[in-house]
Amino acid sequence: MKGRDPGERHRTATSLELLFDLCFVIAVAQASESLHEALAEGAAATGALRFALVFFTVWWAWMNFTWFASAYDPDDIPYRLTVLVQITGSLILAAGVPHAFAEGDLRTITIGYVVLRTALAALWLRAARSDPARRSTALRFATGVTLCQVGWVGLLAAPEAARLPGVAALILAEVAVPVWAQSAGMTPWHPRHIAERYELFTLIVLGESVAAATVAVRGAFDRHQNTGSLCATAAGGLLTAFALWWLYFSRPAHTLLATTHRAHRRRFVWAYGHYLIFASAAAEGAGLAAYADHLTGHAHTSQLAAGAAVTVPAAVFLVTVWAVHLRPHLTTAADRAPYPVAVFGLLAATFTPWPALAAGAVLVVLVVVVTAPRR
């Protein structure tokens, strides 16, 4: 398992990586649906906290494998089998999402997560044996990943009062492992390949958002209540998804990763910042579904809270995309100004009668404003 050439031509995602992503869709869908149920029941704060934790496990496992595969991917039988073990872990994790939301039971999620991460640690050990030049980096990764898994398992036996502080400490430990490991030497990741992998996951979470909202709105239409408002919600959700896609893909990520973002600090900010991009896109679908429930009287929440469930995730997505993905490309104040203004418009849409449609309109105007000068 030698390190791959970071300048390799025509490097693209493999069919195994696409299968890996496809199986992670299940976990994303479970997290989005569970957040939808929490919002509809009026438990927004608890639901958001549990969603943030569950989505972290999904995103973190996906991201760590993505960066590993960009640097080391021999596509031989042992590698394929190890990746299939990780996929199995993702399915176990997905199966535990409903229990984590409903009861705060993290046992199944922890088992799936440990299966995922232990398989990755085995790959890092193999890389350490095969790539002497980066052995220290690979061993640090293997050690850090393994110790974190011991911590997650131990947390299951901790008293209830220690759970939340323990989770926070372990998340900090997890995100510190790559920083510590890469300080011993950078792995040979491929900028264009990493950019493509992140773009593909963006499409996954946007697609899941559209799917979740579609199912909810269809169910609401079947009940023949507030048809006009439901049409406005469906139209606004579609406009929002289209605009978020347009904005994210308006600038190429690989140009940053191949130049200014090869530095550790900028690369980690870009890579870690995508947690908020992915999570907010998935949460947008849950918010639209909860708002549809509100319109048909099947949600225990106020108009303001239901509207915020639609507009706040869109605002978080826009802020994060602007900060970590688009801002480095924007050289003048005039280029940057429309994004903060649009964020204010999104939050103001919360107080309108049709927040989803108003948010979609704000984002469409932003797309026009930032695209027209470039045309």
Side-chain angles (χ1 to χ4, degrees):
M1 187 183 282
K2 301 293 185 183
R4 294 189 64 159
D5 179 7
E8 180 181 342
R9 294 173 61 85
H10 309 299
R11 178 77 187 276
T12 59
T14 66
S15 60
L16 184 58
E17 288 175 316
L18 297 179
L19 177 62
F20 187 84
D21 289 357
L22 182 63
C23 293
F24 267 77
V25 171
I26 301 172
V28 172
Q30 291 281 4
S32 179
E33 175 57 27
S34 296
L35 177 60
H36 161 214
E37 294 172 358
L39 293 172
E41 292 169 3
T46 302
L49 180 61
R50 290 179 175 175
F51 174 79
L53 172 59
V54 168
F55 199 89
F56 172 83
T57 63
V58 175
W59 163 76
W60 189 247
W62 175 88
M63 191 191 76
N64 276 256
F65 168 74
T66 293
W67 285 83
F68 177 89
S70 188
Y72 302 98
D73 180 2
D75 197 31
D76 57 12
I77 291 175
Y79 176 81
R80 289 185 175 190
L81 292 176
T82 310
V83 174
L84 294 178
V85 170
Q86 292 188 69
I87 290 175
T88 303
S90 75
L91 298 177
I92 297 172
L93 188 154
V97 170
H99 291 294
F101 267 84
E103 307 155 18
D105 184 355
L106 299 178
R107 286 177 296 180
T108 306
I109 270 191
T110 300
I111 292 171
Y113 187 66
V114 169
V115 170
L116 269 163
R117 303 287 281 153
T118 303
L120 182 65
L123 286 175
W124 278 117
L125 289 174
R126 185 181 173 196
R129 185 183 64 181
S130 306
D131 189 2
R134 302 177 184 89
R135 180 166 295 159
S136 179
T137 299
L139 288 176
R140 286 189 181 192
F141 267 114
T143 301
V145 168
T146 302
L147 290 176
C148 285
Q149 301 330 294
V150 172
W152 287 112
V153 173
L155 190 63
L156 295 177
E160 189 69 28
R163 291 281 179 87
L164 189 57
V167 166
L170 284 169
I171 287 176
L172 290 175
E174 289 274 14
V175 299
V177 168
V179 179
W180 171 60
Q182 294 275 17
S183 66
M186 189 168 62
T187 54
W189 54 276
H190 193 289
R192 193 175 290 271
H193 176 250
I194 288 291
E196 182 191 21
R197 299 291 291 120
Y198 273 70
E199 289 165 357
L200 289 172
F201 205 77
T202 302
L203 292 176
I204 285 174
V205 291
L206 286 176
E208 177 53 39
S209 175
V210 172
T214 301
V215 170
V217 172
R218 183 186 64 193
F221 273 130
D222 291 342
R223 294 190 285 267
H224 305 291
Q225 294 176 282
N226 282 334
T227 304
S229 296
L230 286 170
C231 288
T233 300
L238 199 59
L239 289 175
T240 297
F242 289 166
L244 295 182
W245 166 82
W246 192 298
L247 292 167
Y248 183 88
F249 287 90
S250 63
R251 301 284 184 168
H254 68 269
T255 56
L256 295 177
L257 294 174
T259 54
T260 57
H261 284 44
R262 295 197 71 84
H264 285 318
R265 182 178 61 84
R266 290 190 175 185
R267 184 174 76 255
F268 280 117
V269 169
W270 184 89
Y272 287 7
H274 271 74
Y275 166 73
L276 291 176
I277 294 175
F278 296 152
S280 59
E284 180 66 22
L288 288 166
Y291 190 78
D293 287 344
H294 167 75
L295 291 176
T296 55
H298 288 76
H300 306 288
T301 184
S302 66
Q303 166 68 20
L304 185 62
V310 174
T311 58
V312 171
V316 172
F317 183 97
L318 183 57
V319 166
T320 315
V321 166
W322 174 78
V324 305
H325 188 64
L326 299 178
R327 192 173 181 273
H329 291 281
L330 308 176
T331 56
T332 67
D335 291 334
R336 297 170 182 167
Y339 295 92
V341 173
V343 171
F344 177 80
L346 284 174
L347 296 177
T350 307
F351 304 94
T352 64
W354 292 340
L357 186 59
V362 168
L363 289 169
V364 168
V365 170
L366 176 62
V367 168
V368 172
V369 168
V370 301
T371 303
R374 294 182 62 198
R375 293 289 295 172

